[in-house]
Amino acid sequence: MIPFILAGGIANALMNLPIPAYQALLVSEHFSWIYSVLDMIYEGTFGLFSLGLVITLSISFAMEKSEPVDQGALYVIISLGAYGAQLNIGSSHFDLNNIGTPGCFAALVVTLFSCYMYSILKKNSFLSMQEHTSGTNIICANAIHTIFPFALIIAIVALFNQLLIFFFDSYSLHELVSNVVCNIFDHLEPGFLSGLLYTVLLHVLWFFGLHGSHILEPVAQTTFAFDNASGIFSKSFFDTYVVMGGCGTTICILIALLLFFRKSQLNKLAKVASFTVIFNLNEVLNFGIPIILNPTLALPFLLTPVLCYVISYGATAIGFVPPVMQEIPWSTPVFFSGYMATGSFRGVFLQIFCIVIGVAIYLPFLKLHKKTQEEYAKELLNHLVKELQKNETEKETPNFLTRMDKLGLTSRMLLLDLKNAIAHNELFLLYQPQVDNDGNCFGGEALLRWNHPLYGFIYPPLIIYLAKEGKILPDLERALFDMAGNAIHETQKQYDGEFKISVNITAKSLLWDIEGCIEDCLKKYDIPSQKLWLEITEQDILVNTDTVIDKLNHLKKLGHTLLIDDFGMGHTSLIYLQSNYFNVVKLDGSLVKKMLDSKTSQEIISSIVELGNKLGVKIIAEFVETEHHWNMLAELGCNWYQGYLFSKPVPLDEFISYLKEHNPH
């Protein structure tokens, strides 16, 4: 609902800026159309607020249940029907305002009830009539299955509405709640305590995700209306000193994030929210941080507005600032509102003082939230990586981007972040040296890295998966080859010996014009194709055979050395080895890891080396981590190595230094 709220809220703010000259301009003959447009935007959003809430909440409920799209649509249909059943449409008690902001509480309750009931009733085979829809189109069948649950749910809601009328003389749930809340305040003397209760109650509602301002609107418009308010407290007093930037005195959060979290993801969110918070619209922060339902921020979210209320009430009571003398719209920007409401700059100084206090209150809690958020994000990422590794082991294709659970949401968010990271050159390469039997470095492998601002370093296969399934692999590989081409160019300038850098590609890399991309890279950096080697995994070779052969043949003719990565003894990979496309193979890492304890792994490695020698193919062993690994591989006939025994993946300048140090000149 955030776009909905912000569009309507900003339109309302622009309509009601309390500047006489500006207001005169809006009602003038030539510019009155501007006011009309803004009013249409406001009424078209806030005027349909509750309907929008029904739709988004029912979709969210279906997502939590991991329902497919067609089932999610039925949740929406049922919720809309149930909500409509309690609106009294067609009677004299129908109030059009109830589909706008005043009806949001009823929308929440009715939607949650409807969705919960439907999730239970649709499992009942008798109600769903499943035996009557065999062979029917699935979408039509699902609709038929929903007929009886739908009828039952809206009948319950309509009956409940009749009970409200009979027992409480209230024609809607919203009206009942409003009457109860108003009765509470009707029995309180206007003054400090009633204002304090209003402040606390509104923020408790907000913290639990209920739009307190809308639920308590009847109280604000009656008990605390500017014309009716007794003493100091009024709705305008509240808007001026308590909800600066929005509920929870959110402007304090905004300033704290902008000043003290400059390298954090929260700082970026604050920059996005800045314009809206000026007009006291804090939904971006409330749901983006989030503040709603966040136990870490519950205390400051309640304490800050309460202290602002107490301080401002006291300052007004002792005469430090004039009382609020003018009713101002809730969307009036802070500081401007302080002056307009009181006619004095002392009102502005009081706002500044309250904001400083609020920033001091929020700051330690925001730091704690940042730490908690990072820990939770890393737990989610670890779960996602484990699932991906499980799929890799079982040779299954993951479906993270289409899942509706937390892993699906995390994957889609990471995909969006990956697009931005590519666009802003936030990815980088590390280079792991490769050496021969004498320890001389003949080149290195370029390894992709992404240091996410929230999740930290992302598992490289997850980056590739997101790029492939998210249809941005060409964008990623353009960036990758550009970085690798630049690395070769820089190495040539500083090192005059022979070397190469290998880059990993996948089967899907061969389904777009990757050869054109590589040629552009060679021309841009004026580097020979012989220095850019290309690696493709054995598993990827098995895909799209005809296309793979054509592309491999073209790349081979361009002068690139081709490598098979993760080479085992698969039948298809042996055929490719025989085809002379590949000059180098890299042993499957699992063979090297197991060889110290597995005679079978040793024999397989020995067979691959012997076959490679006969075919004129070089063998590289990865994951060489100890002297024992190195010695055994040498005994088995392997002569090129890569692993932590020699060097971890390093930045380009360290790779160049390694080349210089580990080559005879």
Side-chain angles (χ1 to χ4, degrees):
M1 292 292 288
I2 286 176
F4 216 72
I5 294 168
L6 296 186
I10 292 171
N12 181 66
L14 295 176
M15 277 195 299
N16 293 296
L17 280 177
I19 304 173
Y22 175 79
Q23 289 297 325
L25 183 69
L26 286 185
V27 298
S28 65
E29 180 181 354
H30 296 293
F31 294 97
S32 59
W33 63 270
I34 297 177
Y35 184 92
S36 298
V37 169
L38 294 173
D39 186 52
M40 288 177 182
I41 295 172
Y42 174 73
E43 293 297 341
T45 51
F46 277 52
L48 296 175
F49 185 88
S50 293
L51 287 182
L53 194 60
V54 170
I55 295 169
T56 54
L57 186 58
S58 51
I59 291 173
S60 298
F61 190 99
M63 289 173 65
E64 286 291 327
K65 295 287 185 179
S66 297
E67 297 280 10
V69 174
D70 55 339
Q71 282 292 327
L74 291 170
Y75 278 90
V76 175
I77 294 296
I78 288 172
S79 299
L80 283 171
Y83 185 67
Q86 55 87 52
L87 285 175
N88 301 295
I89 298 175
S91 76
S92 59
H93 299 286
F94 172 60
D95 185 355
L96 189 61
N97 289 326
N98 283 342
I99 66 174
T101 53
C104 72
F105 180 70
L108 282 167
V109 174
V110 171
T111 302
L112 285 173
F113 169 78
S114 303
C115 290
Y116 180 72
M117 287 297 296
Y118 177 59
S119 69
I120 295 173
L121 296 176
K122 74 188 188 78
K123 298 174 185 176
N124 186 296
S125 57
F126 174 75
L127 289 176
S128 63
M129 300 186 295
Q130 292 180 4
E131 67 275 12
H132 299 294
T133 57
S134 177
T136 307
N137 174 282
I138 184 63
I139 295 178
C140 183
N142 285 337
I144 293 171
H145 297 164
T146 306
I147 292 174
F148 281 141
F150 176 81
L152 186 58
I153 290 167
I154 63 170
I156 292 172
V157 173
L159 178 61
F160 178 76
N161 208 51
Q162 287 300 306
L163 293 175
L164 290 181
I165 297 171
F166 183 79
F167 287 106
F168 302 103
D169 196 30
S170 296
Y171 286 85
S172 68
L173 185 60
H174 163 70
E175 186 178 327
L176 175 66
V177 173
S178 296
N179 290 341
V180 171
V181 174
C182 287
N183 284 336
I184 294 173
F185 284 93
D186 286 343
H187 290 85
L188 291 175
E189 290 292 329
F192 176 80
L193 290 178
S194 60
L196 181 62
L197 177 62
Y198 179 84
T199 300
V200 171
L201 188 57
L202 181 136
H203 285 86
V204 169
L205 289 169
W206 252 117
F207 178 76
F208 286 101
L210 304 174
H211 204 301
S213 303
H214 293 159
I215 295 171
L216 298 181
E217 184 70 11
V219 177
Q221 295 299 330
T222 54
T223 306
F224 299 128
F226 186 78
D227 293 337
N228 299 333
S230 302
I232 296 170
F233 187 74
S234 67
K235 177 66 166 55
S236 288
F237 175 93
F238 181 78
D239 291 337
T240 301
Y241 295 122
V242 179
V243 288
M244 294 176 286
C247 63
T249 324
T250 322
I251 195 167
C252 302
I253 298 177
L254 181 76
I255 293 172
L257 295 179
L258 292 175
L259 293 180
F260 301 103
F261 293 81
R262 294 185 180 179
K263 295 183 179 180
S264 166
Q265 193 79 357
L266 291 172
N267 184 271
K268 295 180 180 179
L269 181 69
K271 290 176 181 177
V272 172
S274 296
F275 178 72
T276 61
V277 171
I278 290 172
F279 297 107
N280 304 318
L281 293 161
N282 65 345
E283 279 74 15
V284 173
L285 292 180
N286 263 357
F287 296 99
I289 289 178
I291 300 170
I292 301 304
L293 297 175
N294 185 340
T296 305
L297 296 176
L299 182 59
F301 184 74
L302 183 61
L303 181 60
T304 303
V306 166
L307 277 180
C308 287
Y309 169 75
V310 172
I311 292 169
S312 303
Y313 195 99
T316 306
I318 65 175
F320 177 77
V321 294
V324 173
M325 298 180 295
Q326 179 179 334
E327 183 176 12
I328 60 166
W330 60 266
S331 54
T332 305
V334 68
F335 306 142
F336 190 65
S337 61
Y339 178 79
M340 294 296 296
T342 61
S344 168
F345 281 106
R346 290 193 176 191
V348 179
F349 296 146
L350 178 57
Q351 287 180 317
I352 293 172
F353 180 76
C354 288
I355 289 171
V356 171
I357 296 294
V359 170
I361 293 171
Y362 269 114
L363 191 56
F365 291 94
L366 286 169
K367 289 181 178 178
L368 178 60
H369 165 74
K370 179 176 178 289
K371 181 180 178 182
T372 304
Q373 184 190 43
E374 289 172 348
E375 290 173 352
Y376 177 68
K378 287 175 181 176
E379 285 180 11
L380 267 179
L381 181 64
N382 288 336
H383 188 186
L384 186 63
V385 169
K386 287 179 181 177
E387 286 284 315
L388 180 63
Q389 290 172 335
K390 179 182 176 183
N391 282 301
E392 289 174 337
T393 302
E394 297 174 355
K395 309 298 183 185
E396 293 181 357
T397 303
N399 62 339
F400 299 133
L401 291 179
T402 58
R403 285 168 60 161
M404 303 302 285
D405 57 6
K406 289 181 179 178
L407 290 187
L409 292 172
T410 302
S411 300
R412 290 190 287 277
M413 188 191 76
L414 279 171
L415 176 58
L416 289 174
D417 291 344
L418 179 58
K419 291 178 181 178
N420 289 328
I422 294 171
H424 294 94
N425 300 315
E426 294 173 2
L427 304 179
F428 61 96
L429 294 176
L430 295 180
Y431 305 86
Q432 187 166 31
Q434 297 165 327
V435 303
D436 60 21
N437 278 323
D438 298 322
N440 297 324
C441 180
F442 61 88
E445 179 183 4
L447 299 169
L448 183 63
R449 295 292 184 265
W450 178 25
N451 189 6
H452 190 279
L454 176 60
Y455 293 94
F457 281 98
I458 305 299
Y459 180 53
L462 178 57
I463 302 174
I464 303 303
Y465 163 76
L466 292 172
K468 288 197 292 189
E469 299 305 313
K471 315 296 184 188
I472 58 169
L473 185 62
D475 297 328
L476 175 63
E477 291 187 326
R478 286 189 192 96
L480 192 157
F481 278 107
D482 189 74
M483 290 185 285
N486 180 63
I488 294 172
H489 177 72
E490 289 298 318
T491 305
Q492 281 185 150
K493 291 197 302 185
Q494 301 180 45
Y495 174 73
D496 57 6
E498 289 296 320
F499 74 95
K500 63 81 191 175
I501 288 178
S502 62
V503 174
N504 289 278
I505 60 175
T506 71
K508 285 202 172 182
S509 305
L510 301 171
L511 300 181
W512 70 285
D513 184 24
I514 191 170
E515 61 268 45
C517 169
I518 294 173
E519 287 185 68
D520 291 342
C521 171
L522 299 179
K523 291 177 183 177
K524 177 179 179 180
Y525 292 104
D526 190 23
I527 56 177
S529 58
Q530 290 75 15
K531 291 190 182 297
L532 180 60
W533 290 14
L534 303 172
E535 297 189 24
I536 183 167
T537 63
E538 177 183 356
Q539 187 64 29
D540 276 324
I541 295 173
L542 308 181
V543 183
N544 298 303
T545 305
D546 292 338
T547 303
V548 167
I549 290 174
D550 291 340
K551 292 292 180 90
L552 292 178
N553 187 44
H554 184 69
L555 291 169
K556 179 85 171 179
K557 288 180 179 178
L558 289 175
H560 299 284
T561 295
L562 304 180
L563 295 80
I564 300 179
D565 197 5
D566 295 336
F567 184 83
M569 289 292 283
H571 172 69
T572 306
S573 58
L574 291 175
I575 292 175
Y576 273 97
L577 204 57
Q578 190 180 26
S579 69
N580 294 322
Y581 290 125
F582 294 93
N583 306 95
V584 181
V585 300
K586 295 178 76 171
L587 293 175
D588 189 326
S590 63
L591 293 174
V592 178
K593 290 176 182 178
K594 294 176 183 177
M595 72 176 189
L596 297 181
D597 304 312
S598 172
K599 189 69 175 175
T600 301
S601 293
Q602 295 174 24
E603 291 176 353
I604 293 174
I605 292 172
S606 177
S607 298
I608 293 173
V609 171
E610 184 180 349
L611 178 63
N613 289 336
K614 289 180 179 178
L615 297 176
V617 175
K618 294 284 188 179
I619 309 296
I620 298 178
E622 291 185 289
F623 300 102
V624 183
E625 298 179 350
T626 66
E627 293 277 353
H628 198 176
H629 277 112
W630 189 13
N631 293 334
M632 182 173 287
L633 285 164
E635 290 175 8
L636 294 173
C638 189
N639 45 26
W640 282 358
Y641 313 94
Q642 177 181 342
Y644 273 55
L645 175 63
F646 309 102
S647 174
K648 64 180 181 180
V650 295
L652 181 61
D653 56 345
E654 293 183 34
F655 171 70
I656 295 173
S657 298
Y658 191 95
L659 265 176
K660 293 177 178 178
E661 293 170 8
H662 293 81
N663 278 294
H665 282 89

